[in-house]
Amino acid sequence: QSVLTQPPSVSGAPGQRVTISCTGSSSNIGAGYDVHWYKQLPGTAPKVLIYGNSNRPSGVPDRFSGSKSGTSASLAITGLQAEDEADYYCQSYDNGLSAVIFGGGTKLTVL
Amino acid sequence: EVQLVESGGGWVQPGRSLRLSCAASGFTFDDFAMHWVRQAPGRGLEWVSSISWNGKTIGYADSVKGRFTISRDDAKNALFLQMNSLRAEDTALYYCAKESGMENRGDELDFWGQGTLVTVSS
C-alpha cells in the first residue's frame, strides 16, 4: 500500500476535463514537501509532467496543471486527447520515513 | 543531451547478488543527487534508494535496507546498486534517475534511463 493514495483509474471522453487526486499526510505533502507528477506510457520510462506542485517543464502542454492544498494534490487535464491515455504517478518526500514516496498510480483511459 | 544507461540486470537465483550500473552523460554528474526506482511487472513505481551529490546522504526503502547498497563514482560519471540476498519480490525493471536537486530530499526526477530488468527466480 502506497503512502500517497491515488485512484486506480479515471476516464473521460475526448475534450473533457479529468482530475487525478494524490492524498498524503502531515509527514509528506502536509509537511510542505513538493508534489511532482509523472506520465508513463506503456513500455517506456516515466517523464516529468508537473514539478514543484504546479510547474510545467518546457514542452508540456498547458492542458496539464497541478495544484496542492493541505495534505493533498491534484493533477488536472483539460481538452482530453487520445495521447493522454497513460499511467500517472504523484511523488513527494516523507520526513517520517526519510524516503521518496510515490503514489500507486492512476490509469487514465480516454473513451 | 542527458543520457542515463543502466546495465547489469539479468536472471539470478534467490539469495544471490547482482550489481547494477548506470552510465550518465550530458550533465555535470557530481552536481546532482541520483536515484534508483523499480517497477515490478504490471505494478507501480517504487523508490529504492538515493544518494546525494557528494555521497554523504544516502537513503533506502525499508524493503531493501540492509541488503542493497548505493554508490557513485563521480570520476566515471557512474551510479551503482549492489543488491545482495535477492528475493523473488525484487524482480522488477530498475530505473536510474537524475534528481533536479543536490540533496535527495524530494526534488523531481527530471531524467530517467530506460531501465534494466532483474529477475529473481529459482
Side-chain angles (χ1 to χ4, degrees):
Chain A
Q1 194 163 351
S2 304
V3 179
L4 299 177
T5 301
Q6 297 179 233
S9 63
V10 298
S11 62
Q16 284 189 332
R17 178 182 187 268
V18 296
T19 61
I20 299 173
S21 61
C22 175
T23 304
S25 68
S26 59
S27 60
N28 42 71
I29 298 176
Y33 292 100
D34 284 344
V35 177
H36 318 296
W37 291 90
Y38 301 87
K39 175 183 179 180
Q40 186 179 33
L41 294 167
T44 69
K47 287 186 179 179
V48 177
L49 195 62
I50 297 289
Y51 68 94
N53 306 314
S54 59
N55 301 291
R56 279 178 287 106
S58 60
V60 173
D62 59 7
R63 302 186 295 106
F64 296 88
S65 63
S67 63
K68 172 187 159 182
S69 178
T71 58
S72 295
S74 287
L75 172 70
I77 309 172
T78 59
L80 210 55
Q81 299 179 4
E83 59 259 36
D84 298 334
E85 192 162 284
D87 293 324
Y88 293 83
Y89 296 90
C90 59
Q91 178 237 312
S92 187
Y93 183 85
D94 191 287
N95 61 17
L97 299 172
S98 294
V100 170
I101 51 175
F102 284 97
T106 298
K107 181 175 182 58
L108 169 61
T109 300
V110 180
L111 302 171
Chain B
E1 178 194 5
V2 173
Q3 283 200 321
L4 298 170
V5 180
E6 303 93 337
S7 60
W11 173 82
V12 63
Q13 292 179 317
R16 304 299 290 266
S17 300
L18 212 55
R19 188 189 195 213
L20 305 184
S21 300
C22 172
S25 61
F27 64 101
T28 305
F29 184 72
D30 54 9
D31 276 354
F32 297 95
M34 297 294 295
H35 296 248
W36 289 100
V37 177
R38 69 185 181 184
Q39 187 168 34
R43 305 295 295 274
L45 302 174
E46 180 188 13
W47 174 78
V48 174
S49 181
S50 62
I51 184 168
S52 61
W53 67 283
N54 58 4
K56 291 187 177 180
T57 304
I58 286 175
Y60 298 100
D62 286 345
S63 57
V64 306
K65 205 170 290 183
R67 300 187 299 122
F68 290 11
T69 302
I70 192 172
S71 61
R72 62 189 299 159
D73 184 338
D74 292 342
K76 295 182 178 179
N77 287 352
L79 177 72
F80 304 101
L81 186 68
Q82 177 67 41
M83 305 186 296
N84 299 331
S85 302
L86 283 161
R87 306 167 179 166
E89 53 265 35
D90 296 319
T91 294
L93 186 63
Y94 283 74
Y95 292 105
C96 163
K98 170 190 169 294
E99 187 183 295
S100 66
M102 302 175 75
E103 293 292 346
N104 54 318
R105 291 282 292 185
D107 287 335
E108 75 275 16
L109 305 182
D110 55 359
F111 290 95
W112 298 60
Q114 287 306 304
T116 186
L117 182 62
V118 172
T119 303
V120 184
S121 171
S122 53

